[in-house]
Amino acid sequence: MWPWMAALAVQLLVPAVALAWCVGGAPPARDGDDDGLNDIQEAFFATNPNDPDTDHDGVPDRNEDSDGDGIVNQREPHIFSIEFFQDPFHPGRIGTLLEGINLFPPLNGTQRATISVLDTGRRRRVTYNKRRNRRTQVYVRLTPAQVDHLLGSGSNPTIDLETPRGTTNTLSPMRMPCPPGVPKLMGAALVDIRSSVVAEPLRYLVIGGCNLVDPVGSDRVRTRIRLADGDIDLRGRYFSAALLPSRLLIPTISRAVPDPALPPWNEIVEGAVVKVVNASGESMPAVVDAPIAQITIPPDNVDEDHDRDGLSSLTEIGIGTDPLLLDTDRDGIDDGREVAGGTFDPLDPDTDGDGILDGDE
């Protein structure tokens, strides 16, 4: 999950028996002094999170080189999320996902990184490729035995990632109580995604918990977010930025044209009550907390395809689709397929206005 989940998961102090882990040892990823470094980064660089120029030398903290390696702080690799969860499409495998920024240089060819667990001294090498691992994430499937060996018996193992760009900060995932069954919410909050390529931050709702998605095919999942004024139906390919078994991420405002065939997508604000509904049932409600994270995505990272729809995030920002939502208009066709086909509008669920969603044509 993403950095804001640190604040949601830090409250989970009850031991669990399920093989589901979430980042729990990091502070919220706010950027109180608006210097382009969030609290996780500022702690790593030993800079003041409330002062954009900690040493008052005229150089903003983001442009300092705190470790003297020739890479300014803002471009150093860092991680803000760690998850271990049962992969619903690969029985017996644990999905291991680390997310961050600047994890790999923008180079072609094979690059490798190493997941290191400081408590056990054990390591796991992973290979960069554009299909799965990228400058903003590292993902690998492991067996339960491999996860146990890597993490050891401690309740909060300390993990970092060694990449071609250097060694990241450390984070500590903790076990979450995730028995099979109905969705279980750990929390919900707002988060702002920033970048120099967008004039205003992109605001999202993040929901953390267990059993949040239903597999509906070999590589697709589906779930519904229930609000007081209707449901938001989400579907897409596995590991879209929006859908994970333990984390849902959706924009607070839809960029698409409203359509009577779909429930209204009214703005999701602080204090709203949300539930998650899938084939197993309905979760208990959770109240949406105020923004607990501001994440600045560097320009080098924006040229990647974060929601796996075939379009780079930079392209999506330019054409108006959502860079973190696989199917912006919820018509059943990925944004990339609509753009490539040229027949349907990725921002209009019923392009020809005949009352039939584009995905059902």
Side-chain angles (χ1 to χ4, degrees):
M1 62 194 66
W2 290 57
W4 48 89
M5 290 310 303
L8 303 181
V10 74
Q11 304 298 325
L12 306 178
L13 303 179
V14 179
V17 296
L19 278 171
W21 293 70
C22 171
V23 61
R30 300 186 181 95
D31 181 9
D33 54 7
D34 200 28
D35 65 352
L37 303 176
N38 62 44
D39 289 355
I40 295 176
Q41 293 170 291
E42 301 251 23
F44 181 62
F45 300 129
T47 50
N48 186 347
N50 298 309
D51 188 340
D53 183 9
T54 300
D55 56 9
H56 303 287
D57 63 351
V59 179
D61 291 340
R62 66 177 179 274
N63 293 330
E64 296 274 11
D65 180 9
S66 295
D67 57 6
D69 64 354
I71 302 175
V72 298
N73 294 345
Q74 195 175 36
R75 303 183 75 83
E76 288 276 4
H78 83 277
I79 51 175
F80 46 60
S81 170
I82 301 174
E83 288 182 85
F84 294 83
F85 52 85
Q86 183 65 51
D87 187 332
F89 296 110
H90 296 84
R93 294 284 176 170
I94 304 298
T96 303
L97 180 68
L98 287 77
E99 293 184 300
I101 59 174
N102 296 319
L103 301 184
F104 295 96
L107 302 173
N108 293 323
T110 300
Q111 301 178 59
R112 291 181 172 83
T114 303
I115 301 171
S116 298
V117 181
L118 279 62
D119 312 74
T120 64
R122 293 164 187 153
R123 299 152 68 85
R124 183 78 187 189
R125 295 189 72 185
V126 294
T127 301
Y128 169 87
N129 62 72
K130 291 184 178 180
R131 178 174 175 269
R132 182 175 296 161
N133 298 329
R134 52 195 63 207
R135 294 194 291 278
T136 55
Q137 74 174 211
V138 165
Y139 173 73
V140 61
R141 296 188 188 101
L142 303 175
T143 65
Q146 288 171 330
V147 172
D148 287 342
H149 177 77
L150 184 66
L151 299 181
S153 59
S155 59
N156 296 88
T158 303
I159 297 175
D160 66 21
L161 184 68
E162 299 171 25
T163 85
R165 280 191 145 165
T167 301
T168 68
N169 54 302
T170 61
L171 289 179
S172 297
M174 63 169 60
R175 288 184 183 265
M176 298 193 301
C178 288
V182 300
K184 182 174 182 179
L185 301 194
M186 306 299 181
L190 302 174
V191 62
D192 290 334
I193 308 287
R194 302 176 177 180
S195 177
S196 60
V197 301
V198 294
E200 298 292 334
L202 305 175
R203 175 161 287 189
Y204 294 84
L205 166 69
V206 62
I207 298 174
C210 305
N211 311 318
L212 301 183
V213 300
D214 278 327
V216 294
S218 61
D219 65 347
R220 291 185 176 273
V221 295
R222 177 175 294 165
T223 193
R224 280 183 290 159
I225 313 281
R226 177 154 293 169
L227 301 162
D229 49 13
D231 291 356
I232 297 175
D233 183 48
L234 295 176
R235 45 191 166 177
R237 287 197 299 269
Y238 198 43
F239 296 121
S240 159
L243 300 172
L244 284 173
S246 52
R247 182 249 292 156
L248 304 177
L249 181 73
I250 65 172
T252 56
I253 300 176
S254 176
R255 294 176 170 227
V257 176
D259 190 274
L262 295 171
W265 189 319
N266 298 320
E267 182 178 2
I268 302 172
V269 297
E270 177 185 350
V273 177
V274 299
K275 298 179 181 179
V276 172
V277 185
N278 58 31
S280 299
E282 180 177 287
S283 73
M284 294 292 289
V287 177
V288 176
D289 289 334
I292 61 170
Q294 295 88 38
I295 311 304
T296 300
I297 306 298
D300 284 352
N301 291 184
V302 179
D303 67 353
E304 293 193 319
D305 179 9
H306 293 101
D307 56 7
R308 307 296 179 97
D309 62 0
L311 302 173
S312 73
S313 293
L314 186 62
T315 297
E316 297 216 54
I317 290 168
I319 65 177
T321 54
D322 196 287
L324 299 183
L325 193 59
L326 185 85
D327 180 10
T328 299
D329 58 7
R330 296 184 294 152
D331 62 359
I333 309 177
D334 302 351
D335 293 339
R337 290 170 57 201
E338 296 207 63
V339 170
T343 302
F344 299 118
D345 183 349
L347 292 171
D348 190 341
D350 181 10
T351 302
D352 58 10
D354 63 355
I356 302 174
L357 294 179
D358 293 343
D360 296 329
E361 292 279 3

